Amino acid sequence: DPEGILWVAAGGGLNQYKNGTFTPCRYQDDLFDISIYRILEDQQHYLWLSTANGIFCVSKREFDIIIFIKVL
């Protein structure tokens, strides 16, 4: 991303690689401790994650789930 963080879908969740260290992202809900297929960043710097359970929009700063669209 523009801040030099590499976002990686691995280990059943989202991880960030910064300054030589991988850190798993823990969110208030464990809704996407699952396979993540794609990660995109929008113009407001939110991450959009496509998963088997649905689409998530998350804050990179607080790791809060902003939007969740469940796949039926």
Side-chain angles (χ1 to χ4, degrees):
D1 73 4
E3 299 171 22
I5 299 172
L6 177 64
W7 298 93
V8 179
L14 182 65
N15 300 272
Q16 63 175 339
Y17 181 75
K18 183 177 179 181
N19 299 325
T21 303
F22 277 101
T23 305
C25 300
R26 299 290 176 225
Y27 290 82
Q28 61 188 11
D29 299 314
D30 292 332
L31 289 174
F32 59 85
D33 283 343
I34 52 170
S35 296
I36 297 172
Y37 303 126
R38 186 168 302 247
I39 305 168
L40 297 172
E41 183 176 3
D42 67 17
Q43 292 179 341
Q44 287 77 35
H45 304 287
Y46 290 109
L47 295 177
W48 289 84
L49 313 174
S50 65
T51 74
N53 285 352
I55 298 171
F56 295 87
C57 177
V58 297
S59 165
K60 296 189 317 183
R61 301 266 186 258
E62 296 85 25
F63 300 125
D64 288 334
I65 296 172
I66 308 299
I67 297 171
F68 171 58
I69 303 167
K70 184 169 180 64
V71 173
L72 301 175

